[in-house]
Amino acid sequence: STVGRCILNLMKPTAGTLAYKGTEYSRLNRAQRKEVQREMQMVFQDPNYSLNPRVCVWDTVYNTLKVKGDLSPDQCRQMTREALDQVYLKEADYNKYAHQLSAGQQQRVGIARAIAAHPRFIVLDEPTSSLDVSIRAEIIDLLRKLQDTMGVSYLFISHDLSTIQYICNRVAVMYLGSIVEYGTV
């Protein structure tokens, strides 16, 4: 989780270097870092805590696009609808609030918020750990489908090795903040 937050520049690393597309973050100026960050998003472990309880589903995704500043309201609406459709949320759910949704629906909103701006890279911080087994399988299948259709790369953080084997191409095992093993699944 800490590594994911450092990659997204939400935390400063205490040691080591971070690189994206071969360029170290430390060599980028503020405008370049901001441009890199536009290509990245995050899906959090507990969807209930990552959603604002005062904001409905539609506005959660729409506001993410609106703050980018370079999209028209019509483009934001279209991209919001596309993202919500891609995660299989029904139009009847658009005006609901987090507490009115199941945990699986909440996580779908979090995923829609992450994919709405068409990122190239998504940090998934244990996105299925708080879900029951049947919903977990649906979310994993959804993530694989999105990965294939959008061409997005994931940093999938998990303790569940069977899920990692199913969704990942390469694995890094960490212990006390250091990579102790790295390879293909």
Side-chain angles (χ1 to χ4, degrees), residues 9 11-12 14 17 20 32-33 45 60 62 89 95 109 124 127 129 162 175 182:
N9 208 26
M11 293 177 68
K12 297 282 184 219
T14 55
T17 58
Y20 182 69
Q32 290 169 322
R33 274 196 308 273
Q45 178 176 357
T60 296
Y62 182 87
L89 283 170
N95 291 317
V109 174
L124 297 151
S129 65
S162 62
Y175 180 71
Y182 180 79

Side-chain angles (χ1 to χ4, degrees), residues 15 29-30 46-47 75 80 85 123 147 151 153 156 172 176 183:
N29 62 38
R30 186 175 182 185
D46 190 338
Q75 288 173 308
T80 298
D85 287 346
V123 175
Q147 190 176 35
S153 296
F156 192 91
L176 297 176

Side-chain angles (χ1 to χ4, degrees), residues 58-78:
W58 178 270
D59 289 342
T60 296
V61 179
Y62 182 87
N63 291 341
T64 301
L65 295 167
K66 191 170 85 173
V67 297
K68 285 183 58 143
D70 59 350
L71 299 170
S72 72
D74 285 341
Q75 288 173 308
C76 290
R77 280 190 288 277
Q78 179 184 349

Side-chain angles (χ1 to χ4, degrees), residues 8-43:
L8 295 172
N9 208 26
L10 299 173
M11 293 177 68
K12 297 282 184 219
T14 55
T17 58
L18 290 169
Y20 182 69
K21 293 184 178 179
T23 304
E24 285 186 33
Y25 275 14
S26 60
R27 294 185 181 176
L28 300 175
N29 62 38
R30 186 175 182 185
Q32 290 169 322
R33 274 196 308 273
K34 192 172 184 173
E35 222 20 69
V36 167
Q37 287 176 306
R38 294 182 85 141
E39 296 184 15
M40 300 179 180
Q41 287 293 324
M42 185 164 190
V43 175

Side-chain angles (χ1 to χ4, degrees), residues 4-153:
R5 286 181 171 89
C6 288
I7 288 170
L8 295 172
N9 208 26
L10 299 173
M11 293 177 68
K12 297 282 184 219
T14 55
T17 58
L18 290 169
Y20 182 69
K21 293 184 178 179
T23 304
E24 285 186 33
Y25 275 14
S26 60
R27 294 185 181 176
L28 300 175
N29 62 38
R30 186 175 182 185
Q32 290 169 322
R33 274 196 308 273
K34 192 172 184 173
E35 222 20 69
V36 167
Q37 287 176 306
R38 294 182 85 141
E39 296 184 15
M40 300 179 180
Q41 287 293 324
M42 185 164 190
V43 175
F44 297 93
Q45 178 176 357
D46 190 338
N48 188 43
Y49 292 118
S50 71
L51 300 175
N52 186 335
R54 295 183 182 102
V55 179
C56 70
V57 168
W58 178 270
D59 289 342
T60 296
V61 179
Y62 182 87
N63 291 341
T64 301
L65 295 167
K66 191 170 85 173
V67 297
K68 285 183 58 143
D70 59 350
L71 299 170
S72 72
D74 285 341
Q75 288 173 308
C76 290
R77 280 190 288 277
Q78 179 184 349
M79 292 170 75
T80 298
R81 183 171 300 282
E82 287 172 4
L84 293 170
D85 287 346
Q86 284 180 293
V87 298
Y88 305 110
L89 283 170
K90 297 176 180 141
E91 202 166 324
D93 297 324
Y94 291 2
N95 291 317
K96 290 183 179 178
Y97 294 86
H99 72 277
Q100 296 172 308
L101 303 170
S102 69
Q105 289 171 316
Q106 290 173 350
Q107 195 60 290
R108 288 173 190 276
V109 174
I111 294 167
R113 177 178 55 196
I115 67 168
H118 305 285
R120 302 294 305 140
F121 181 79
I122 299 176
V123 175
L124 297 151
D125 187 6
E126 298 197 48
T128 60
S129 65
S130 65
L131 305 175
D132 67 38
V133 177
S134 62
I135 302 302
R136 184 178 299 173
E138 288 178 16
I139 296 296
I140 294 296
D141 286 340
L142 171 63
L143 290 170
R144 285 201 56 175
K145 180 180 179 240
L146 291 171
Q147 190 176 35
D148 290 341
T149 59
M150 295 180 68
V152 65
S153 296

